Amino acid sequence: MDFSESYRCSGGGGSKEGGGQSQECAPCYSPNGLYLATAVEYRLIIREVETLRVVQLYACLDRIDRLEWADNSLYVLCGLYARSIIQVWAVDQPDWTCKIDEGPAGIARTLWAPDGLSLVCIASFQIRTTIWSLVDKKCTYLRGSKHANKGLAFSPDGRLLAILERYDYKDHIALYDVHSWKEVLHITCDTSDAVDLRWSPDGTYIAVWDSVLTYRVQVFTLEGTLATTYSAYQDALGVKDVSWNASGELLSVGSFDERARVLNHVTWQPLLECTHPKQITDPQHVVVYFEMEELAPVHGSPLKSPRSREVKSKYMIKDLPVSIPTSQPPLDVPFPKLGVGQQHWSFDSQYLLTVNENQPSTVWIWDMAAMELSSVLSHSSSILEAKWAPNSCTLVMVAGNGRIYMWTPAGASIIHIPLKNFAARSLVWSPNGQNFTLTDSDAFCCAYFVPEEQA
């Protein structure tokens, strides 16, 4: 694997939920995979992915809080939330620009519509949702959403916009046609305090789930019919995360009870319960990787020099039974670090990744064809981010240090980043899966896979 040199950027270093900075202006690839957009304070820099050569440089009116490419890869959105302004730049037209000023309403969130020619803007305190058109410069006002950073999603085919709303003491889902921005369907949810919604990848269902105080997941069809209401237990902290597989036939529900339940779309009952025990005893063929650190000589340094050795790490395979490092979080604080908060499907739904938050250094990989645990990877530091490649069963993880952790069905490896004082805290895959960016708190680099004939 090859690495680029590091470049300065803003917006790296984790998520707000994880105690770091927001990733909304972290480096991001254009959907066609040709360009990489980065923000440095108030500057927007567009680079070629292969060479990282700067092709465009734009100066915004203030510090950039959010970056996002349009689906057509022609425009880049820059959210300047401090000024309630959105600036849009065209990659192929350096002299063209667009500025949208929300004024006293403020901006809590902004995103592209699927056509790449309209912007969705949620005002501060969710008082309204505004659709801005780049074609005719008109704006359309919709009702305010319940949340600013969640509860709003476009259908996979881009024809509908689903918005989670709350009024008259009830939760509702409003579906809008993106061509006319007229409401085409209204669904009333039987939830006490819905927190988010998620489309199935085939666009057939919408899943909505309740707050942590109530274990309830509801799934609706596009006709507004209730397909199911699922509840695994009562009178305990409930759902943490919901994730569809690529076909929309399986729905994984991560819970505070340290389990992920994989529901099927026929009976809406669990096909598999992914447990995360403190000691692994079965299945017997599960592969358990443990990161082992050791001192290794530094190339070119005198053997007696105090800096002649550095910490290197590698994976060691352990035999069953194996004990997994587990912490017991205080249960008398809001939102304890407990339960399955991360679930990610591989591109072909062959594998499901889960992370139990009171085992933050351990990643569990489940084989969905065999419906059993396949691999477990335990590390010396908490895993900050783990992402599958968009077109292969390659998993890359980062833990806020100078290493990246990689897993494939053929095995696992640890790769040391050859950049001094660079700690990878987040990562983003390119659309073609041939490279990815690693981001530190104020810098980024690119990692490229080397073709086998050149390796």
Side-chain angles (χ1 to χ4, degrees), residues 287-443:
V287 183
V288 181
Y289 300 91
F290 262 72
E291 180 184 7
M292 305 296 291
E293 295 182 337
E294 60 185 6
L295 290 176
V298 178
H299 179 69
S301 297
L303 291 179
K304 295 184 179 181
S305 169
R307 303 182 65 180
S308 63
R309 293 181 177 272
E310 62 181 349
V311 177
K312 294 287 187 178
S313 64
K314 61 181 179 180
Y315 280 129
M316 299 289 290
I317 298 178
K318 289 199 171 185
D319 296 327
L320 301 184
V322 177
S323 296
I324 300 298
T326 305
S327 61
Q328 184 59 45
L331 301 180
D332 57 349
V333 299
F335 306 106
K337 292 292 184 181
L338 175 70
V340 181
Q342 288 190 57
Q343 306 172 103
H344 305 294
W345 294 87
S346 61
F347 84 107
D348 58 358
S349 302
Q350 174 70 33
Y351 298 99
L352 172 65
L353 171 155
T354 59
V355 176
N356 184 21
E357 288 191 357
N358 52 313
Q359 298 169 333
S361 61
T362 303
V363 173
W364 306 68
I365 299 174
W366 305 82
D367 186 336
M368 299 311 297
M371 286 291 173
E372 63 182 12
L373 185 63
S374 171
S375 299
V376 178
L377 300 98
S378 185
H379 307 90
S380 57
S381 302
S382 298
I383 294 298
L384 300 183
E385 194 158 33
K387 288 185 177 180
W388 293 100
N391 52 11
S392 69
C393 292
T394 300
L395 175 68
V396 174
M397 299 157 280
V398 294
N401 53 32
R403 310 159 198 158
I404 58 176
Y405 305 90
M406 189 173 299
W407 180 93
T408 68
S413 61
I414 300 175
I415 301 172
H416 291 77
I417 303 171
L419 298 174
K420 186 177 181 180
N421 299 326
F422 188 95
R425 302 175 187 274
S426 63
L427 68 100
V428 178
W429 281 95
S430 66
N432 59 19
Q434 295 178 2
N435 52 77
F436 53 89
T437 62
L438 300 168
T439 308
D440 199 344
S441 56
D442 57 0

Side-chain angles (χ1 to χ4, degrees), residues 248-303:
E249 296 178 348
L250 298 175
L251 179 66
S252 180
V253 182
S255 312
F256 275 91
D257 68 344
E258 304 179 47
R259 293 170 181 258
R261 296 167 174 84
V262 181
L263 314 181
N264 71 85
H265 76 301
V266 179
T267 65
W268 299 107
Q269 294 300 311
L271 291 177
L272 174 67
E273 284 199 11
C274 304
T275 60
H276 303 80
K278 296 179 181 179
Q279 186 176 65
I280 302 174
T281 58
D282 62 340
Q284 289 299 314
H285 55 269
V286 65
V287 183
V288 181
Y289 300 91
F290 262 72
E291 180 184 7
M292 305 296 291
E293 295 182 337
E294 60 185 6
L295 290 176
V298 178
H299 179 69
S301 297
L303 291 179

